Amino acid sequence: MIKKSVQSPAKNLPSDRRTSVFMANEYALTDVSLPEILFITSYPPRECGIATYSQDLIKALNNKFNHSFKINICAIEPENEQIRYPSEVKFILHSDPTRSLTGLATTINLNPNIKVVLVQHEFGFFQKREKKFQEFLETLNKPVIVSFHTVLPKPSELLQKQVQQIASVAESIVVMTHNSSKLLIEDYSVPENKITVIAHGTHLVAHSDTQLLKEKYQVAGRKILSTFGLLSSGKSIETTLRALPEIVKVNPDVLFLIIGKTHPSVVKQEGEKYHEMLASMVVELKLQAHVKFINYFLPLPDLLEYLQLTDVYLFTSKDPNQAVSGTFSYAISCGCPIVSTPIPHAREVIHSDAGIIFDFENSEQLARAVVSLLGNEELRKNISSHGLHKMASTAWENVAIAHAILFEFIAKDQISLHYKKPNVNVDYIKKLTTDFGMIQFSKINQPDIDSGYTLDDNARAMVAMCQHFEHTLDSEDTKYINIYLNFIQHCLQTEGDFLNYVDENYAFTAQNHLTNLADSNGRAIWALGYLISMSALLPPALAAKATSIMDRALVNIHEIHSPRAMSFIIKGIYYRNLKAASPYNQALIIQLTNRLVQMYKHESNPEWQWFESYLTYANSTLPEAMLCAWLATGNKAYKEIAKSSFDFLLSKIFREKGINVISNKSWFQKGDILPIVPIGGEQPIDVAYTILALGKFYEVFGEVDYLVKMRSSFNWFLGENHLHQIIYNPCTGGCYDGLEENYVNLNQGAESTVSYLMARLTVEKYIHNSLQKRTLVLPNAGQVSHKVAS
């Protein structure tokens, strides 16, 4: 990957300039003024793998970075064809060997908006016109990136020279596997520092129910084998047909789906000869009941559903030099257990836990592998899970991020990345919620009812859904708010404290007696207070029930001394006080806040302005609670400690490349030096709590830097983290459970998903709406209005 620091464009600017830059970042440049990336590639409606690849990549780039740059296309058109292209195609590169390409290069050079040219390279595109293509590249005066889709080993002297000439004029070379990178270095002498490995992209899928999909496509009761792609003899589908009789002996319910029509270039050369040969084999082997041809180019949603209903996917290419396969990648990303020939891509991805490799054209090995997998459902599930985790980094969203970082690097100061905020989506929140409450964990994106429920998750969910209701006024939200409120009531004990852990049968578990529940009690009070603060919007019965529960719960708060628990409670009482101010509420806030003040005075010094001798989890909740206490009481000492402690915390968790919250692998002790390399263990909940606090501090102090840090923090979910991978899944609406040193935990549980939603709605409230005039009631100061550009 490119090793490059991505700095905020607002860094080191005076405050008035930072405000202007921040506004430009949020409502970035108009489409007219955006820098342009020119893709030179085959493109739909042309039917070929690279055309589909480019379309998917461009869609992902536009979805994530449409305020950063504009993408236009120069379509590589086959000889003797005239294709009607969509509007994004601005230029045509003709494959006619008699035509010069220098005129096209000059036209591109004269366009000042084009900052980078990306060439999707396949040798067949430029066959018989390699010299003219090289002249075209040399004429361009724009930075050029060449993406090699094929890298052949042991090249001839001529081929080696062609690749070297291309590499010499390219600013950067992209390949899709580490094997291809190694070949370029060792067989073609391409400098390693010119090469970036960016995997073939894959689609995020919601992983629908397999049986329902089989019913939809009328294959219920069958064990499904499948392969897909434009057909040609190189796919060696006959290898599977020869293996099928042995497979059928053990699995008479097998059905093999051959998805895809003959490749158009093959049709030109030999018609439907290969397809007809396969059809004849099916009859000869008496496999008519076990083979089905789906003889057309499937729309992507249908293709992904066919892959999800597949029990075993078969990749039988007989080309040992095939560098990469999109069909192979798509199958694994859809959860298919895969049996594959040993192309370099497969050898790189598949190990003993992610699929089975067999020798080229070896039908006997293929039959044994398929029979083994069909006879072992647990093995298939394990291979599916391992495959999903191995391919997680190849989601198109992550591939788009990798390309965008490369564009930014190659274009120097002419491109600045701005991550697009996804639309607010509560579908997965609802999926996690039963009539009783929110389920604790998920396996990938399937709620795991065996994990039960927790007060923690349902309290946070109630805050998030109250935020969502405030944002949308969608009456359906009150149904979910009521579910979470009822769960909190279920956890309330007669003595006024709460239990946290509830099993799938709604019974309290033994874990409640083995764990300190102070923080859980604090979160419940925070959630109750937050609901009460919205009583003017919500049905009166909800606020009345929350008030009753909170009254009972406040009886025992004097016994709580955990700083985070006290902070959650202070926040809850502060929010309640907004609607029902009372001396009692003030007294409770003062009592708890004074405890935090004493902790701060005991531990802090000029170099360590904190409440404890370490930083752990939910750190930002402490200074936020101090600020809430000032808002409720007017005690300036609370405000001063809130500001100094929060700014100290921000200095430890924000770096040049963005936010790195304290790792749950190792707390940060007083006197420690921040790790140079992130160690993982970063949790979405800590990023979300930081965003909540940044919102409150922006309300009070009006410093645009808090908004800048809020946006930077939110970008952590979108891929601005040390792995440059998404933490929020835009397909499901769920959020992955954690960012580790070398991978993302793909399980989408309640804590992470609710944390993302809280963060997303806070960003919407403060950043999206910050152009509007905001009024804040300050203690003893009347109404103070301030307007800040975002």
Side-chain angles (χ1 to χ4, degrees), residues 68 120 168 311 323 342 354 380 406 495 703 746:
S68 303
Q120 300 294 339
S168 70
D311 293 292
R380 295 202 306 276
L406 181 59
E495 296 82 6
E703 295 181 11
L746 296 187

Side-chain angles (χ1 to χ4, degrees), residues 284-399:
E284 179 185 338
L285 295 171
K286 300 179 181 179
L287 294 171
Q288 294 94 321
H290 302 283
V291 177
K292 181 178 180 180
F293 290 92
I294 300 173
N295 193 26
Y296 55 94
F297 199 80
L298 280 178
L300 179 63
D302 293 355
L303 172 62
L304 296 178
E305 288 190 336
Y306 269 110
L307 291 175
Q308 288 176 77
L309 64 79
T310 294
D311 293 292
V312 179
Y313 184 83
L314 306 177
F315 182 82
T316 55
S317 169
K318 62 182 179 182
D319 180 3
N321 297 322
Q322 183 172 349
V324 69
S325 167
T327 64
F328 173 92
S329 299
Y330 284 18
I332 296 182
S333 69
C334 285
C336 296
I338 191 163
V339 178
S340 173
T341 50
I343 67 166
H345 191 187
R347 293 200 309 269
E348 211 163 278
V349 173
I350 291 181
H351 301 289
S352 59
D353 59 353
I356 299 175
I357 287 180
F358 72 102
D359 292 335
F360 293 106
E361 301 182 82
N362 192 320
S363 298
E364 291 181 6
Q365 288 182 8
L366 175 59
R368 286 197 298 270
V370 171
V371 169
S372 171
L373 285 173
L374 291 180
N376 190 333
E377 184 177 0
E378 190 64 28
L379 177 60
R380 295 202 306 276
K381 287 181 178 178
N382 289 338
I383 287 176
S384 173
S385 177
H386 287 301
L388 288 172
H389 279 87
K390 282 182 179 293
M391 299 302 286
S393 64
T394 71
W396 277 117
E397 289 75 6
N398 295 330
V399 171

